[in-house]
Amino acid sequence: MSGGLVAIPADIRVFEGYTWHAAPDQYVQAAVRGSGVLPLILPALGDAGDVDMVLDRVDGVLISGSRTNVHPALYGEAETEGHGPFDRLRDHTSMQLIRRAIERGIPLLAICRGIQELNVALGGSLATEIQELPGRIDHRKPDTQDRDEAFAIRHAIHVREGSCLAGIVGAGEVKVNSLHRQAISRLAPRLAVEAAAEDGTVEAVSVIDAPGFALGVQWHPEYWVGSDAISDRIFAAFGDAVRARHSGLGRVAAE
Ligand SMILES: N[C@@H](CCC(=O)NCCCC(=O)O)C(=O)O
């Protein structure tokens, strides 16, 4: 595998009487098949981790989705019933990784919870239970046990002309899936909105003046890699950026 190494920060999960550091296989498979890179699941070590030691050795960072939410204290709000469930170690590891990857120009693709972590890591905030906000559609996962139904393409978003994302998938309307009940509220200063849903929900952002590839999307392109052109193009573009860094081209440019 010559495409480069990509860190995927793990979630903390408890089952079978153990605590696990885990990442969903759909992100691992999308990294391999869609980006042509070698994924490396990174334990959620929080302060015990050494982010720069990891970033010295990888060529990209892929931040996955999760049913857990970023803790509201990280964007200055009080915890309520509606904000949970939480994964504080994931929060800490992801956000350190995000900040340093951007500073070092290491390619970053942040998906669903990942775009929310990106926004909070750079100083923004989140809204929770957005389906209860005036004028918002319901962005939550459909009530089904069938995974293809859960990740089915469901609503339109508008990709802004001239955005980084437009350079990957084209500007205008595209259709995406939707499995979230939180979304960006206060946009972080260094983020630019790349796409939005018809109800105003931010669906994609890029990092202004980032030295490397740095894109966040609220939907799940990883799930349909191999059968959806938009998903394929996003992961191919991420893979190109990772390969450029792996070959030393991106590393020289950014550091
Ligand atoms: N928890 C956040 C982010 C949502 C997310 O990442 N969803 C992916 C998992 C979908 C599932 O299997 O339930 C939010 O709800 O906004």
Side-chain angles (χ1 to χ4, degrees):
M1 177 78 61
S2 63
L5 202 56
V6 168
I8 303 178
D11 286 17
I12 294 289
R13 284 287 182 274
V14 177
F15 55 87
E16 296 176 354
Y18 293 95
T19 297
W20 302 70
H21 295 253
D25 182 54
Q26 61 200 58
Y27 300 90
V28 170
Q29 295 305 324
V32 173
R33 292 186 290 114
S35 301
V37 299
L38 181 64
L40 189 71
I41 296 174
L42 184 69
L45 296 178
D47 276 335
D50 183 331
V51 167
D52 276 307
M53 184 183 286
V54 172
L55 293 175
D56 287 344
R57 290 160 175 78
V58 301
D59 308 291
V61 175
L62 174 59
I63 312 282
S64 74
S66 175
R67 292 185 186 171
T68 63
N69 296 321
V70 178
H71 197 283
L74 294 173
Y75 47 93
E77 293 187 15
E79 176 184 333
T80 68
E81 188 70 28
H83 282 102
F86 302 120
D87 185 345
R88 302 302 302 267
L89 284 173
R90 152 94 195 233
D91 288 344
H92 196 103
T93 307
S94 278
M95 282 193 248
Q96 283 184 313
L97 208 57
I98 287 168
R99 291 188 191 102
R100 283 297 289 147
I102 292 168
E103 287 166 8
R104 296 180 55 171
I106 295 172
L108 169 70
L109 177 57
I111 294 173
C112 206
R113 192 194 206 265
I115 189 178
Q116 297 168 2
E117 289 168 304
L118 171 59
N119 187 55
V120 173
L122 298 186
S125 68
L126 304 177
T128 196
E129 304 302 358
I130 59 171
Q131 66 281 353
E132 295 170 6
L133 299 176
R136 297 290 183 109
I137 64 173
D138 191 342
H139 289 259
R140 290 175 295 182
K141 180 177 76 166
D143 183 11
T144 174
Q145 294 305 311
D146 181 293
R147 298 297 283 170
D148 285 355
E149 278 179 27
F151 284 85
I153 302 298
R154 285 203 292 135
H155 71 73
I157 65 170
H158 184 85
V159 179
R160 184 171 56 80
E161 189 77 38
S163 63
C164 300
L165 184 60
I168 297 170
V169 303
E173 182 177 293
V174 297
K175 298 266 190 184
V176 297
N177 52 25
S178 187
L179 296 94
H180 62 105
R181 56 192 179 92
Q182 297 197 333
I184 289 174
S185 178
R186 185 182 69 250
L187 185 69
R190 271 200 75 188
L191 294 182
V193 175
E194 298 260 316
E198 289 153 359
D199 67 355
T201 299
V202 174
E203 291 281 348
V205 296
S206 62
V207 178
I208 299 167
D209 298 333
F213 182 101
L215 182 69
V217 294
Q218 185 60 74
W219 71 95
H220 289 269
E222 83 288 349
Y223 191 83
W224 295 110
V225 160
S227 62
D228 169 66
I230 300 295
S231 305
D232 290 344
R233 288 180 200 154
I234 289 170
F235 271 86
F238 177 58
D240 291 345
V242 169
R243 259 185 300 286
R245 183 166 184 89
H246 182 62
S247 66
L249 298 179
R251 198 181 302 273
V252 169
E255 289 175 342

